[in-house]
Amino acid sequence: MATFLKAQVASLSASIFDFLTTLVCTQYLHFWYVLGSATGTTVGGIINFTMGRHWVFSAADGKVHHQIFKYILVWTGNLILTTSGVYLVTHYLTINYILSKILVTCTVGVTYNYLMQKKFVFA
């Protein structure tokens, strides 16, 4: 349970930077919301990997290049799920992209990301 809670703290931390990056890209740099979301997901992924490796799963003694490779595979799935999810929810349910981003990111983070990091990336 402690690992799950730490993973959620790391996910929340990464999500904060993800959302801030998304907002800056869309509101101030005028990116299309899908590109802004993808950029935010990238920033969040870097933060989440670092926290997962060093704090959540205490896997800093593992070979970093193997972990990065596995993480990139998982992160690519996360990027596809999040970006397509934000598009689908925003476009078809006509919900504001910010709310869509929150809903999709939380769902993907608690399910897909946690399980894949625990069982595959940092196992």
Side-chain angles (χ1 to χ4, degrees), residues 41-81:
T41 300
T42 302
V43 170
I46 293 166
I47 291 167
N48 190 261
F49 173 80
T50 303
M51 290 182 76
R53 184 174 200 278
H54 294 285
W55 181 59
V56 177
F57 300 104
S58 300
D61 57 338
K63 293 183 178 180
V64 69
H65 61 280
H66 288 199
Q67 291 171 339
I68 288 173
F69 177 74
K70 290 178 181 180
Y71 189 85
I72 288 172
L73 291 175
V74 171
W75 177 85
T76 300
N78 173 64
L79 178 65
I80 292 167
L81 290 169

Side-chain angles (χ1 to χ4, degrees), residues 9 16 19 25 27 29 46-47 49-50 52 54 56 58 62 73 80 82 87 89 93 97 101 106-107 117-118:
V9 169
I16 289 169
F19 293 129
C25 288
Q27 298 298 315
L29 301 177
I46 293 166
I47 291 167
F49 173 80
T50 303
H54 294 285
V56 177
S58 300
L73 291 175
I80 292 167
T82 302
Y87 174 76
V89 170
L93 299 180
Y97 77 92
K101 177 85 173 175
C106 289
T107 302
Q117 287 180 32
K118 181 178 181 183

